[in-house]
Amino acid sequence: GRKAVVAGAGIGGIAAAIRLAVKGYEVEVFEVNSYPGGKLSEFYTDGFRFDAGPSLFTMPHLVDELFLLAGKNPSDYFSYSKLDVVCRYFYEDRTRLVAWADPEKFAKEIAEKTTDSAENVIRFMKKSSEIYSITHHVFLERSLHKFSTYFRAATLSSLLKFSKIDPFRTMNAAVESYFSDSRTIRFFDRYATYNGSDPYRAPATLNVIPHLEQHYGAWFPDGGMYSITDSLVRLAKDIGVRFHFNTPVEEIVVKDKYVKGVRIKGEVLEASVVVSNADVWYVYNKLLKGEKAPQRVLEQERSSSALIFYWGIKRRFEELDLHNIFFSEDYREEFNCIWQKNRIYRDPTVYVNISSKCRAADAPEGCENWFVMINVPSDKGQDWDGLIAGARENILAKLSRNLGADIASLICTESILDPRSIESKTFSYQGSLYGSSSNNRFSAFFRHPNFSNRIRGLYFTGGSVHPGGGIPLALLSAKIVAENITDI
Ligand code: FAD
C-alpha cells in the first residue's frame, strides 16, 4: 500500500498519523523520545503526578473528531468535564476575581469587583465573537498558502471585512478602549500569552481568544491532560499505526524535488509521504540540510517560553482551583522585561495549575500537585541559573503574601523546566512554546505552510507551523495536512 512516515509523536504528529491511516496509508511514526506527546507529556514523582506542559484544554471536539473519523466511539477512549469556574484571579490589592464560564455571571463579577461595567464586558465579548466569525475559515481551518483558499466565497467575504478584525491597533489598545480598571485590563491582556505573544504589540485581532475560551468552554480531561496523548496513541495503534520510540529521524531524504523517505539508523526507509511534526526550524537546519530554507519564515521572532516549578505541596488550599493566576502589579513592565530586556521581571504574573483539584489521584492524601509557571523569554543564552534562582524567591514571596502561608516550607518535592530543557526535550528552537510569535499583523502569513512548496510529498504539522501553537491549532494543522495530501 501507500506508505507514510510521521517524524515526531507530538500531538500534531499523532493526529496526522490517525488521519493518514484513515485515508488508507500504512503509517509509521518515529519519535526520538522514549514516550509520545512531546510537550503534552506527564511524569510521576514521590506520589505526585504532573502534566508536564499544557494545562488548559479548550475545543475538545477537535479530539473527539479523530475518534469519530476512525469509526470509534470517543467515550470508549477519552472523557472530559466542563469547568464552571474557568480560572481564579488574585491581585495584590486583595481583589479576588472569579472567571465564571457563564458569560452573564462573569460580566456581573467584573461589575462587582472592578470599576468597569457589565455592559462593557458584554460589548467586548461581542467584538471578540465577531472577529472569530470573520477569521476562522481563513486563518484557522484552511491553508493560507493555497490560491484556492482565496477564491472561496467565505474568504472573500472575510477579506472585505478586514478592518473589522481590528488589525491596526494592539490588543492592549483595544482592551483599553473598552475598560479603564487596571484589573480588567490585565485580565483581557493576558490572553496574548495563550500563544506566547505580547499584548502591547500583538494585533487586536488576537482579542478573538476570549471568545474561543468562552464559546467552546474550558474543560478538564478526566484522566489529566496526558490522557489526550494517551487516548490518541491508543486509537492510532487500534487502526494500525506503528510507533517507534527512541528512534530519531536523522534526515528527510529528497531526490529531484520529491520526498523519497527518511533516514533511520543510517538506513533509508522509503515513503511517498513524509509528515514532519518537529519544529520547522529544526527540520530545515538539521533534517533537510541540502535544501533551500525559507529564511523569512525561520527568522520570525519566536514566541515566549516558560519557567515551571512542579511542587508537591503538603497542604490543601480551599481558595485555589484548577487554574489560578496571581497578577503582576506592573503588567507593562513585565512584558517589557520578557520582550525587550530578555529577562524576568521581579514581580512576574504567576500561574498555578493544580490538577489534583479535579483528579484526586494526582496527589497523596492532604496534598496538592502545584504546576507553577511564569512566562519568560525564549533562550538566547541568558544566565538561566541566576535568573531561575531569583525568580524562585520572587514567586515564593508572591504566593506566600497572597495566600497568607509560608509556601517554601510546604514544598515536599520539586522539579524544574526552563527554556533550555524545553528545547532539549522537545526540540523546540530556543525553547519557545508556540513556534513563532504573533506579535505583528502579518505573523499569520509568515508561519510555515502545512506543505512544502519545493518538495512534493513533504508536509508539516504541529505548533510551529500554520495555523499556530496550542493543542487545538496543532490538531487543526494535522487536519489541513490530510486535506491537502495529493497522491503521487
Ligand atoms: P511537540 O509537542 O512540539 O512535539 C514534537 C515531537 O517531535 C517531540 O516529541 C519531539 O521529540 C519529536 N521530534 C523532534 N525532532 C524529531 C526527530 N528528528 N525525529 C523524531 N522525533 C522528533 N497548549 C494548550 O493548548 N494549552 C496550554 O495550556 C498550553 N500550555 C503549555 C505549557 C507549556 C509549558 C508548554 C511547553 C506548551 C504549552 N502549550 C499549551 C502548547 C502545546 O503544548 C503545544 O502547542 C503542542 O503540544 C505542540 O504539539 P506539536 O504537535 O507541535 O508537538
Side-chain angles (χ1 to χ4, degrees):
R2 300 167 300 167
K3 190 167 173 83
V5 163
V6 179
I11 202 70
I14 301 166
I18 292 167
R19 288 182 179 275
L20 288 171
V22 168
K23 274 182 165 254
Y25 282 85
E26 184 195 334
V27 186
E28 296 200 60
V29 181
F30 293 91
E31 166 58 53
V32 47
N33 289 327
S34 59
Y35 54 87
K39 300 184 179 78
L40 188 43
S41 60
E42 69 172 356
F43 68 93
Y44 289 82
T45 176
D46 301 304
F48 293 86
R49 189 194 72 87
F50 289 98
D51 284 308
S55 53
L56 177 63
F57 182 38
T58 55
M59 304 179 88
H61 63 280
L62 295 173
V63 178
D64 283 344
E65 185 175 297
L66 293 164
F67 298 105
L68 295 170
L69 189 71
K72 308 282 187 190
N73 182 353
S75 61
D76 289 345
Y77 289 85
F78 180 59
S79 64
Y80 47 84
S81 313
K82 186 158 188 193
L83 304 178
D84 290 329
V85 170
V86 176
C87 185
R88 288 186 189 267
Y89 292 86
F90 298 76
Y91 298 85
E92 294 279 352
D93 69 359
R94 299 278 168 260
T95 306
R96 292 186 175 185
L97 198 77
V98 182
W100 298 100
D102 178 328
E104 277 167 27
K105 223 166 148 183
F106 172 64
K108 206 165 142 241
E109 176 81 2
I110 290 282
E112 277 169 14
K113 304 275 175 74
T114 75
T115 57
D116 286 306
S117 68
E119 293 72 53
N120 281 353
V121 175
I122 291 162
R123 273 180 51 229
F124 183 83
M125 291 308 296
K126 217 173 136 208
K127 178 71 197 176
S128 177
S129 152
E130 182 188 38
I131 298 174
Y132 179 72
S133 65
I134 301 172
T135 52
H136 71 110
H137 328 271
V138 189
F139 288 97
L140 299 182
E141 287 154 20
R142 329 215 140 238
S143 177
L144 272 182
H145 311 86
K146 292 240 163 181
F147 279 117
S148 57
T149 296
Y150 294 90
F151 289 111
R152 293 177 67 254
T155 309
L156 285 177
S157 107
S158 294
L159 292 178
L160 291 173
K161 294 179 195 144
F162 191 62
S163 67
K164 289 218 163 115
I165 70 175
D166 220 350
F168 301 114
R169 56 180 174 172
T170 66
M171 277 182 95
N172 169 260
V175 167
E176 289 195 350
S177 74
Y178 286 80
F179 306 108
S180 58
D181 189 308
S182 134
R183 291 164 296 188
T184 325
I185 293 167
R186 277 175 275 169
F187 175 92
F188 284 107
D189 277 349
R190 195 181 72 91
Y191 285 100
T193 65
Y194 279 35
N195 66 11
S197 300
D198 174 357
Y200 301 96
R201 286 191 296 143
T205 311
L206 289 188
N207 284 328
V208 66
I209 300 173
H211 170 76
L212 289 176
E213 182 171 276
Q214 191 158 87
H215 181 73
Y216 291 104
W219 304 78
F220 182 76
D222 298 332
M225 291 300 285
Y226 182 67
S227 67
I228 302 172
T229 297
D230 188 53
S231 61
L232 289 178
V233 168
R234 269 193 293 134
L235 169 68
K237 287 180 176 167
D238 286 351
I239 60 171
V241 173
R242 281 181 292 156
F243 286 86
H244 307 269
F245 296 104
N246 301 306
T247 314
V249 166
E250 292 152 4
E251 183 191 342
I252 295 171
V253 183
V254 179
K255 200 169 164 226
D256 300 333
K257 307 219 175 299
Y258 279 83
V259 79
K260 283 289 155 215
V262 292
R263 188 178 302 280
I264 306 278
K265 295 181 185 145
E267 308 274 327
V268 176
L269 174 73
E270 290 193 4
S272 56
V273 166
V274 171
V275 181
S276 170
N277 178 218
D279 186 310
V280 69
W281 190 93
Y282 265 94
V283 179
Y284 281 99
N285 286 287
K286 310 272 175 199
L287 305 183
L288 275 175
K289 276 192 183 141
E291 302 297 322
K292 190 168 158 50
Q295 288 308 335
R296 289 280 290 279
V297 170
L298 302 184
E299 282 160 10
Q300 290 296 300
E301 177 188 60
R302 302 293 290 180
S303 65
S304 53
S305 186
L307 169 60
I308 300 153
F309 297 94
Y310 308 88
W311 285 332
I313 296 283
K314 54 187 180 197
R315 211 198 102 177
R316 286 167 69 165
F317 284 82
E318 292 311 319
E319 60 268 62
L320 297 179
D321 219 305
L322 174 65
H323 301 288
N324 312 276
I325 289 286
F326 297 81
F327 266 119
S328 171
E329 279 300 276
D330 190 342
Y331 217 29
R332 195 180 281 274
E333 187 52 27
E334 179 179 3
F335 284 95
N336 193 27
C337 276
I338 297 174
W339 291 101
Q340 262 66 50
K341 300 181 180 163
N342 279 312
R343 52 183 190 80
I344 302 177
Y345 184 46
R346 64 181 159 73
D347 174 33
T349 297
V350 181
Y351 167 60
V352 181
N353 177 258
I354 311 174
S355 72
S356 65
K357 294 283 185 192
C358 295
R359 189 170 186 271
D362 287 354
E365 189 66 39
C367 299
E368 291 179 337
N369 63 339
W370 286 20
F371 166 110
V372 179
M373 172 177 142
I374 60 171
N375 296 309
V376 304
S378 61
D379 182 16
K380 296 172 190 92
Q382 296 92 324
D383 164 25
W384 285 110
D385 292 335
L387 289 174
I388 291 168
R392 189 177 186 279
E393 289 309 304
N394 292 334
I395 291 169
L396 282 169
K398 188 172 183 76
L399 293 176
S400 301
R401 201 161 57 230
N402 278 272
L403 293 168
D406 176 24
I407 302 300
S409 67
L410 298 172
I411 298 174
C412 55
T413 160
E414 175 177 76
S415 311
I416 299 177
L417 189 71
D418 65 53
R420 296 165 304 183
S421 42
I422 293 173
E423 175 155 18
S424 64
K425 284 184 174 170
T426 69
F427 301 89
S428 186
Y429 180 50
Q430 294 182 353
S432 79
L433 303 191
Y434 304 96
S436 51
S437 78
S438 299
N439 282 340
N440 80 61
R441 152 169 12 121
F442 305 108
S443 306
F445 297 93
F446 281 118
R447 290 190 93 87
H448 197 283
N450 302 106
F451 54 89
S452 165
N453 283 319
R454 297 171 174 274
I455 303 164
R456 289 284 303 272
L458 177 58
Y459 297 86
F460 296 86
T461 182
S464 73
V465 296
H466 179 71
I471 298 166
L473 300 194
L475 292 171
L476 284 171
S477 74
K479 188 172 182 174
I480 300 171
V481 164
E483 280 166 3
N484 283 289
I485 273 185
T486 44
D487 294 307
I488 38 177

Coordinates of all heavy atoms in Angstrom, one line a residue, residues 236-297:
A236 N -4.6 5.4 17.5 CA -3.8 5.2 16.4 C -3.3 3.8 16.2 O -3.4 3.2 15.2 CB -2.5 6.1 16.5
K237 N -2.9 3.2 17.4 CA -2.5 1.8 17.3 C -3.6 0.9 16.9 O -3.4 -0.1 16.1 CB -2.0 1.3 18.7 CG -0.6 1.9 19.0 CD -0.1 1.5 20.4 CE 1.3 2.0 20.7 NZ 1.7 1.8 22.1
D238 N -4.9 1.2 17.4 CA -6.0 0.3 17.1 C -6.3 0.3 15.6 O -6.9 -0.6 15.1 CB -7.3 0.8 17.9 CG -7.2 0.4 19.3 OD1 -6.3 -0.4 19.7 OD2 -8.1 0.8 20.1
I239 N -5.9 1.4 14.9 CA -6.2 1.4 13.5 C -5.0 1.2 12.6 O -4.9 1.5 11.5 CB -6.9 2.7 13.0 CG1 -6.1 4.0 13.3 CG2 -8.3 2.9 13.7 CD1 -6.7 5.3 12.7
G240 N -4.0 0.6 13.3 CA -2.8 0.1 12.5 C -1.6 0.9 12.4 O -0.6 0.5 11.8
V241 N -1.6 2.1 13.1 CA -0.4 3.0 13.1 C 0.7 2.3 13.9 O 0.5 1.8 15.0 CB -0.6 4.4 13.6 CG1 0.6 5.2 13.7 CG2 -1.7 5.1 12.7
R242 N 2.0 2.3 13.4 CA 3.1 1.7 14.2 C 4.0 2.8 14.7 O 4.4 3.7 14.0 CB 3.9 0.7 13.3 CG 3.1 -0.6 13.2 CD 3.9 -1.7 12.4 NE 3.9 -1.2 11.0 CZ 4.8 -1.6 10.2 NH1 5.8 -2.4 10.5 NH2 4.7 -1.2 8.9
F243 N 4.3 2.7 16.0 CA 5.1 3.7 16.7 C 6.5 3.1 17.0 O 6.6 2.0 17.4 CB 4.5 4.1 18.0 CG 3.3 5.0 17.9 CD1 2.0 4.5 17.7 CD2 3.4 6.4 17.9 CE1 0.9 5.3 17.5 CE2 2.3 7.3 17.7 CZ 1.1 6.7 17.5
H244 N 7.5 3.9 16.7 CA 8.9 3.5 17.1 C 9.5 4.6 18.0 O 9.7 5.7 17.5 CB 9.8 3.4 15.8 CG 9.1 2.6 14.8 ND1 9.4 1.2 14.7 CD2 8.3 2.8 13.8 CE1 8.7 0.7 13.7 NE2 8.0 1.7 13.1
F245 N 9.7 4.3 19.3 CA 10.3 5.3 20.2 C 11.8 5.2 20.2 O 12.4 4.2 19.7 CB 9.6 5.1 21.6 CG 8.1 5.4 21.5 CD1 7.2 4.4 21.5 CD2 7.7 6.7 21.4 CE1 5.8 4.7 21.5 CE2 6.4 7.0 21.3 CZ 5.4 6.0 21.3
N246 N 12.4 6.1 20.9 CA 13.9 6.2 20.9 C 14.5 6.1 19.5 O 15.6 5.5 19.3 CB 14.5 5.1 21.8 CG 13.9 5.1 23.2 OD1 14.0 6.2 23.8 ND2 13.3 4.1 23.7
T247 N 13.8 6.6 18.5 CA 14.2 6.4 17.1 C 14.1 7.7 16.4 O 13.1 8.1 15.8 CB 13.3 5.4 16.4 OG1 13.2 4.2 17.3 CG2 14.0 4.9 15.1
P248 N 15.2 8.5 16.4 CA 15.1 9.8 15.7 C 15.1 9.7 14.2 O 15.7 8.7 13.7 CB 16.4 10.5 16.1 CG 17.3 9.5 16.6 CD 16.5 8.4 17.1
V249 N 14.4 10.5 13.5 CA 14.5 10.6 12.1 C 15.8 11.5 11.9 O 15.9 12.5 12.4 CB 13.3 11.4 11.4 CG1 13.6 11.8 10.0 CG2 12.1 10.4 11.5
E250 N 16.8 10.9 11.1 CA 18.1 11.6 11.0 C 18.1 12.5 9.8 O 18.9 13.5 9.8 CB 19.2 10.5 10.9 CG 19.4 9.7 12.2 CD 19.9 8.3 12.0 OE1 20.2 7.9 10.9 OE2 19.9 7.6 13.0
E251 N 17.3 12.2 8.8 CA 17.3 13.1 7.6 C 16.0 12.8 6.9 O 15.5 11.7 6.9 CB 18.5 12.7 6.8 CG 18.6 13.5 5.5 CD 19.7 12.9 4.5 OE1 20.5 12.0 4.9 OE2 19.6 13.3 3.3
I252 N 15.5 13.9 6.2 CA 14.4 13.7 5.3 C 15.0 13.6 3.9 O 15.7 14.5 3.5 CB 13.3 14.8 5.4 CG1 12.7 14.8 6.8 CG2 12.3 14.7 4.3 CD1 11.8 16.0 7.1
V253 N 14.8 12.4 3.3 CA 15.5 12.2 2.1 C 14.8 12.7 0.8 O 13.6 12.3 0.7 CB 15.8 10.6 1.9 CG1 16.7 10.4 0.7 CG2 16.6 10.1 3.2
V254 N 15.4 13.5 0.0 CA 14.8 14.1 -1.1 C 15.5 13.8 -2.4 O 16.8 13.9 -2.3 CB 14.7 15.7 -0.9 CG1 14.1 16.4 -2.0 CG2 14.0 16.0 0.4
K255 N 14.8 13.6 -3.4 CA 15.5 13.4 -4.7 C 14.7 14.1 -5.8 O 13.5 13.8 -5.9 CB 15.7 11.9 -5.0 CG 16.8 11.7 -6.0 CD 17.2 10.2 -6.1 CE 18.0 10.1 -7.4 NZ 17.6 8.9 -8.1
D256 N 15.3 14.9 -6.6 CA 14.6 15.6 -7.7 C 13.3 16.2 -7.3 O 12.3 16.0 -8.0 CB 14.4 14.6 -8.9 CG 15.7 14.0 -9.4 OD1 16.7 14.7 -9.3 OD2 15.7 12.8 -9.9
K257 N 13.3 16.9 -6.2 CA 12.2 17.6 -5.7 C 11.0 16.7 -5.3 O 9.9 17.2 -5.1 CB 11.6 18.6 -6.8 CG 12.7 19.6 -7.3 CD 12.2 21.0 -7.5 CE 13.3 21.9 -7.9 NZ 14.3 22.1 -6.9
Y258 N 11.3 15.5 -5.1 CA 10.3 14.6 -4.5 C 10.8 14.0 -3.2 O 12.0 13.7 -3.1 CB 9.9 13.4 -5.4 CG 8.9 13.7 -6.5 CD1 9.3 14.4 -7.6 CD2 7.6 13.4 -6.3 CE1 8.4 14.7 -8.6 CE2 6.7 13.8 -7.3 CZ 7.1 14.4 -8.4 OH 6.2 14.8 -9.4
V259 N 10.0 13.8 -2.2 CA 10.4 13.2 -1.0 C 10.6 11.7 -1.2 O 9.8 11.1 -2.0 CB 9.5 13.5 0.2 CG1 8.2 12.7 0.2 CG2 10.1 13.4 1.6
K260 N 11.7 11.1 -0.7 CA 11.9 9.7 -1.0 C 11.7 8.9 0.2 O 11.5 7.7 0.2 CB 13.3 9.5 -1.5 CG 13.6 9.9 -2.9 CD 12.9 8.9 -3.8 CE 12.6 9.5 -5.2 NZ 11.4 9.1 -5.8
G261 N 11.8 9.5 1.4 CA 11.6 8.8 2.6 C 12.4 9.4 3.7 O 12.7 10.7 3.7
V262 N 12.8 8.7 4.7 CA 13.6 9.2 5.8 C 14.8 8.3 6.1 O 14.8 7.2 5.8 CB 12.7 9.3 7.1 CG1 11.6 10.4 7.0 CG2 12.1 8.0 7.5
R263 N 15.8 8.9 6.8 CA 16.9 8.1 7.2 C 16.8 7.8 8.7 O 16.6 8.7 9.5 CB 18.2 8.9 6.9 CG 19.5 8.0 7.2 CD 20.8 8.7 6.8 NE 20.8 9.2 5.5 CZ 21.1 8.5 4.4 NH1 21.4 7.2 4.6 NH2 21.2 9.0 3.2
I264 N 16.8 6.5 9.0 CA 16.6 6.0 10.3 C 17.8 5.1 10.6 O 18.0 4.1 9.8 CB 15.3 5.2 10.5 CG1 14.1 6.0 10.0 CG2 15.2 4.6 11.9 CD1 13.5 6.9 11.0
K265 N 18.6 5.3 11.7 CA 19.7 4.5 12.0 C 20.6 4.2 10.8 O 21.0 3.1 10.5 CB 19.3 3.1 12.6 CG 18.6 3.3 13.9 CD 18.2 1.9 14.5 CE 17.4 2.1 15.8 NZ 16.3 1.2 16.0
G266 N 20.8 5.3 10.0 CA 21.6 5.2 8.8 C 21.0 4.6 7.6 O 21.6 4.7 6.5
E267 N 19.9 4.0 7.7 CA 19.2 3.4 6.5 C 18.1 4.2 6.0 O 17.4 4.8 6.8 CB 18.7 2.0 6.9 CG 19.6 1.1 7.6 CD 20.4 0.3 6.6 OE1 19.9 0.0 5.6 OE2 21.6 0.0 7.0
V268 N 17.9 4.2 4.7 CA 16.8 4.9 4.1 C 15.5 4.1 4.2 O 15.5 2.9 3.7 CB 17.0 5.4 2.6 CG1 15.8 6.0 2.0 CG2 18.2 6.3 2.6
L269 N 14.5 4.6 4.7 CA 13.2 4.0 4.8 C 12.3 4.7 3.8 O 12.1 5.9 3.9 CB 12.6 4.0 6.2 CG 11.1 3.5 6.3 CD1 11.1 2.0 6.2 CD2 10.5 3.9 7.6
E270 N 11.9 4.0 2.7 CA 11.1 4.7 1.7 C 9.7 5.0 2.1 O 9.1 4.2 2.8 CB 11.1 3.9 0.4 CG 12.5 3.9 -0.2 CD 12.6 3.4 -1.6 OE1 11.5 3.1 -2.2 OE2 13.7 3.2 -2.2
A271 N 9.2 6.2 1.6 CA 7.8 6.5 1.8 C 7.4 7.6 0.8 O 8.2 8.4 0.4 CB 7.6 7.1 3.2
S272 N 6.1 7.5 0.4 CA 5.7 8.5 -0.6 C 5.2 9.8 0.0 O 5.1 10.9 -0.6 CB 4.6 7.9 -1.5 OG 3.5 7.5 -0.7
V273 N 4.9 9.7 1.3 CA 4.5 10.9 2.1 C 5.3 11.0 3.4 O 5.4 10.0 4.1 CB 3.0 10.9 2.4 CG1 2.7 11.9 3.5 CG2 2.2 11.1 1.2
V274 N 5.9 12.1 3.7 CA 6.6 12.3 5.0 C 5.9 13.5 5.6 O 5.8 14.6 5.0 CB 8.1 12.6 4.8 CG1 8.7 13.0 6.1 CG2 8.8 11.3 4.3
V275 N 5.5 13.3 6.8 CA 4.9 14.4 7.6 C 5.8 14.8 8.7 O 6.1 13.9 9.6 CB 3.5 14.1 8.2 CG1 2.9 15.3 8.9 CG2 2.5 13.6 7.1
S276 N 6.3 16.0 8.8 CA 7.2 16.4 9.8 C 6.4 17.1 11.0 O 5.7 18.0 10.7 CB 8.3 17.3 9.3 OG 9.0 17.8 10.5
N277 N 6.6 16.6 12.2 CA 6.0 17.2 13.4 C 7.0 17.9 14.2 O 6.7 18.4 15.3 CB 5.3 16.1 14.2 CG 4.6 16.5 15.4 OD1 4.7 15.9 16.5 ND2 4.0 17.7 15.4
A278 N 8.3 17.9 13.8 CA 9.3 18.6 14.6 C 9.2 20.1 14.3 O 8.6 20.5 13.3 CB 10.7 18.1 14.2
D279 N 9.7 20.9 15.2 CA 9.8 22.3 15.0 C 10.4 22.6 13.6 O 11.5 22.1 13.3 CB 10.6 22.9 16.1 CG 10.6 24.4 16.1 OD1 10.9 25.0 15.0 OD2 10.4 25.0 17.2
V280 N 9.7 23.5 12.9 CA 10.1 23.7 11.5 C 11.6 24.2 11.4 O 12.3 24.0 10.4 CB 9.1 24.5 10.7 CG1 9.1 25.9 11.2 CG2 9.3 24.5 9.2
W281 N 12.0 25.0 12.4 CA 13.4 25.5 12.4 C 14.4 24.3 12.4 O 15.3 24.3 11.6 CB 13.6 26.4 13.6 CG 14.9 27.1 13.6 CD1 15.1 28.4 13.1 CD2 16.2 26.6 14.0 NE1 16.4 28.7 13.2 CE2 17.1 27.7 13.7 CE3 16.7 25.4 14.6 CZ2 18.5 27.6 14.0 CZ3 18.0 25.3 14.8 CH2 18.9 26.4 14.6
Y282 N 14.1 23.3 13.2 CA 15.0 22.1 13.2 C 14.9 21.3 11.9 O 15.9 20.8 11.5 CB 14.6 21.2 14.4 CG 15.4 21.5 15.6 CD1 15.0 22.3 16.6 CD2 16.7 20.9 15.7 CE1 15.8 22.6 17.7 CE2 17.5 21.2 16.8 CZ 17.0 22.1 17.8 OH 17.8 22.4 18.8
V283 N 13.7 21.3 11.4 CA 13.6 20.5 10.1 C 14.5 21.0 9.1 O 15.3 20.3 8.5 CB 12.1 20.5 9.7 CG1 12.0 19.7 8.4 CG2 11.2 19.9 10.7
Y284 N 14.5 22.3 8.9 CA 15.4 22.9 7.8 C 16.9 22.9 8.2 O 17.8 22.7 7.4 CB 15.0 24.3 7.5 CG 13.8 24.3 6.5 CD1 12.5 24.5 7.0 CD2 13.9 24.0 5.2 CE1 11.4 24.4 6.2 CE2 12.8 24.0 4.3 CZ 11.6 24.2 4.9 OH 10.5 24.1 4.0
N285 N 17.1 23.1 9.5 CA 18.6 23.2 9.9 C 19.2 21.8 10.2 O 20.4 21.7 10.1 CB 18.7 24.1 11.1 CG 18.5 25.5 10.8 OD1 19.4 26.1 10.1 ND2 17.4 26.1 11.0
K286 N 18.4 20.8 10.5 CA 19.0 19.5 10.8 C 18.6 18.4 9.9 O 19.3 17.4 9.7 CB 18.6 19.1 12.3 CG 18.9 20.1 13.3 CD 20.3 20.1 13.9 CE 20.5 21.3 14.8 NZ 21.8 21.7 15.1
L287 N 17.4 18.4 9.4 CA 16.9 17.2 8.7 C 16.8 17.4 7.2 O 16.7 16.4 6.5 CB 15.4 16.8 9.2 CG 15.3 16.6 10.7 CD1 13.8 16.2 11.0 CD2 16.2 15.6 11.2
L288 N 16.9 18.6 6.7 CA 16.8 18.9 5.3 C 18.0 19.7 4.9 O 17.9 20.7 4.1 CB 15.6 19.8 5.0 CG 14.2 19.1 4.8 CD1 13.1 20.1 4.7 CD2 14.2 18.1 3.7
K289 N 19.2 19.3 5.3 CA 20.4 20.2 5.2 C 20.7 20.7 3.8 O 21.0 21.9 3.6 CB 21.6 19.5 5.8 CG 21.6 19.6 7.3 CD 22.9 19.2 7.8 CE 23.0 19.3 9.3 NZ 23.7 18.2 9.9
G290 N 20.6 19.9 2.8 CA 21.0 20.4 1.5 C 19.9 21.3 0.8 O 20.2 21.9 -0.2
E291 N 18.7 21.4 1.4 CA 17.6 22.1 0.7 C 17.6 23.6 1.0 O 18.0 24.0 2.1 CB 16.3 21.5 1.1 CG 16.2 20.0 0.8 CD 16.3 19.7 -0.7 OE1 15.7 20.5 -1.5 OE2 16.9 18.7 -1.0
K292 N 17.1 24.4 0.1 CA 17.0 25.8 0.4 C 15.9 26.0 1.4 O 14.8 25.5 1.3 CB 16.6 26.5 -0.9 CG 16.7 28.0 -0.9 CD 16.6 28.6 -2.3 CE 16.1 30.0 -2.3 NZ 16.8 31.0 -1.4
A293 N 16.3 26.8 2.4 CA 15.3 27.1 3.5 C 14.6 28.4 3.4 O 15.1 29.3 2.8 CB 16.1 27.1 4.9
P294 N 13.3 28.5 3.8 CA 12.6 29.7 3.7 C 13.0 30.7 4.8 O 12.5 30.7 5.9 CB 11.1 29.3 3.9 CG 11.2 28.0 4.7 CD 12.5 27.4 4.4
Q295 N 14.1 31.5 4.5 CA 14.7 32.2 5.6 C 13.8 33.2 6.3 O 13.8 33.3 7.5 CB 16.0 33.0 5.1 CG 17.2 32.1 4.8 CD 17.6 31.2 5.9 OE1 17.3 31.5 7.1 NE2 18.2 30.1 5.6
R296 N 12.9 33.9 5.6 CA 12.0 34.9 6.2 C 11.2 34.2 7.3 O 10.9 34.7 8.3 CB 11.0 35.4 5.1 CG 11.6 36.4 4.1 CD 11.8 37.8 4.7 NE 10.5 38.5 4.9 CZ 9.8 39.2 4.0 NH1 10.2 39.1 2.7 NH2 8.8 39.9 4.3
V297 N 10.7 33.0 7.0 CA 9.9 32.2 7.9 C 10.7 31.8 9.1 O 10.3 32.0 10.3 CB 9.3 31.0 7.2 CG1 8.6 30.0 8.2 CG2 8.3 31.4 6.1

